Amino acid sequence: MKTHVFLSISFSVFLLTSFANVAFAQSDFIDKAKTMTNQQQQGQPEEEETDNKTVKYVIVKDQGLSLGVDLSPIIMRLINDERTGLAFIGRYGLKNRLFAGAEVGYEHIKYNNDSYKYNSDGSFVRIGLDYDIFNNEDYPSNNNIFVGFRYAYAWQTHKSDAFTIVDSYWGDYSGSVGRSSVNSHSLDLLSGLRCEVLPNIYMGWSFRVRFLLASTHSDNLKPYAVAGYGKYDSRVTMGFTYTVEYQIPINKLRGKIK
């Protein structure tokens, strides 16, 4: 119950901040556009005043390097105490609406029941692209509504400290499996929002559909879960991110007359 309330409050605050930020940015842009138009008209020779031209302002979003933290592993810990992790993100603007993204993280997985004890320590890295579908000319701001993908590679070591195989004929068998390595490949398809809540400070979230492409491991122990992905037996899983970023202001938001 506490988890649901926390997520609801966080999401509501994020949406309200996003809408307020868009409104302020739009109002500020309109004022600037009027000023630029008046200045342009005042600087024109008299013989050109009758020459009607369409003035179009092309808005280019901030382009720069963003670094931040993904809070979703902390939120997941509140929901599922089997997984403990930490993740960091990076984003770089390639063009006005195209971004390169990278993510790196660590995850510890611990699962225990009456007949099985499993432990795993692993890391993962994801790389991919995001495309911004937010029309910046209608609502000038640095906010993003994006779709994209991430290719993910995870490497981990795992072991089973104790297991019991129940057999009514031969009798129960107990044992353990030593540490071995697992290497996995997966693909994330994602969609989400990103909002500039303060100058150069961004918050955002994304919803993801994850596909397990391949995984190699020893025959003695099958992974219970893959770092940064989820349950190994599920070839398709769902995930999300909740991020806070700082963007180095290389190129600031600007309007161009076209």
Side-chain angles (χ1 to χ4, degrees):
M1 182 65 181
K2 293 181 179 180
T3 301
H4 293 161
V5 173
F6 171 76
L7 293 176
S8 299
I9 294 174
S10 300
F11 183 66
S12 299
V13 171
F14 174 72
L15 286 181
L16 289 174
T17 307
S18 301
F19 292 140
N21 188 65
V22 170
F24 287 137
Q26 185 179 9
S27 177
D28 181 63
F29 172 75
I30 292 174
D31 292 338
K32 291 180 180 179
K34 289 180 179 179
T35 302
M36 293 175 64
T37 302
N38 292 334
Q39 292 175 350
Q40 183 191 33
Q41 290 177 348
Q42 291 173 3
Q44 287 179 344
E46 293 183 0
E47 61 270 18
E48 293 182 3
E49 289 181 356
T50 57
D51 186 11
N52 295 325
K53 293 183 179 180
T54 301
V55 178
K56 181 179 180 181
Y57 294 92
V58 179
I59 306 304
V60 180
K61 299 188 180 185
D62 284 3
Q63 301 295 301
L65 175 64
S66 298
L67 300 174
V69 60
D70 179 9
L71 302 178
S72 63
I74 300 174
I75 298 173
M76 281 298 301
R77 175 65 179 176
L78 301 175
I79 302 173
N80 182 359
D81 60 4
E82 297 175 358
R83 301 169 63 181
T84 303
L86 182 65
F88 300 95
I89 67 167
R91 189 190 310 269
Y92 184 77
L94 299 175
K95 292 184 178 180
N96 186 29
R97 301 175 75 172
L98 187 65
F99 299 83
E103 304 161 9
V104 61
Y106 163 82
E107 188 171 62
H108 173 72
I109 301 166
K110 183 177 182 180
Y111 175 75
N112 296 325
N113 61 21
D114 295 338
S115 60
Y116 185 51
K117 293 183 178 180
Y118 179 88
N119 282 276
S120 169
D121 290 284
S123 301
F124 61 88
V125 59
R126 306 186 187 110
I127 56 174
L129 295 172
D130 293 335
Y131 180 74
D132 185 8
I133 61 175
F134 189 51
N135 192 335
N136 205 38
E137 295 180 6
D138 293 339
Y139 300 95
S141 73
N142 280 320
N143 300 333
N144 311 112
I145 302 175
F146 55 85
V147 294
F149 73 93
R150 297 287 187 275
Y151 160 75
Y153 173 68
W155 62 99
Q156 64 195 88
T157 59
H158 66 164
K159 65 177 181 176
S160 176
D161 293 327
F163 67 87
T164 300
I165 300 175
V166 179
D167 192 317
S168 59
Y169 182 79
W170 295 104
D172 297 348
Y173 173 78
S174 298
S176 63
V177 179
R179 190 169 292 277
S180 60
S181 62
V182 182
N183 296 278
S184 305
H185 305 263
S186 59
L187 178 67
D188 290 11
L189 299 181
L190 61 93
S191 178
L193 301 174
R194 180 173 176 262
C195 176
E196 187 178 25
V197 294
L198 293 171
N200 303 318
I201 303 295
Y202 291 78
M203 294 184 67
W205 59 266
S206 70
F207 175 76
R208 305 188 174 203
V209 181
R210 292 174 171 152
F211 302 89
L212 186 61
L213 304 177
S215 182
T216 59
H217 56 85
S218 68
D219 295 333
N220 295 329
L221 183 63
K222 183 176 72 172
Y224 171 74
V226 173
Y229 173 80
K231 296 290 184 65
Y232 172 79
D233 288 337
S234 300
R235 294 297 164 170
V236 179
T237 63
M238 304 295 179
F240 74 100
T241 62
Y242 195 98
T243 59
V244 179
E245 308 170 40
Y246 174 76
Q247 180 163 295
I248 301 172
I250 297 176
N251 294 317
K252 297 298 293 180
L253 178 71
R254 56 196 183 275
K256 292 183 177 180
I257 300 177
K258 185 176 180 180

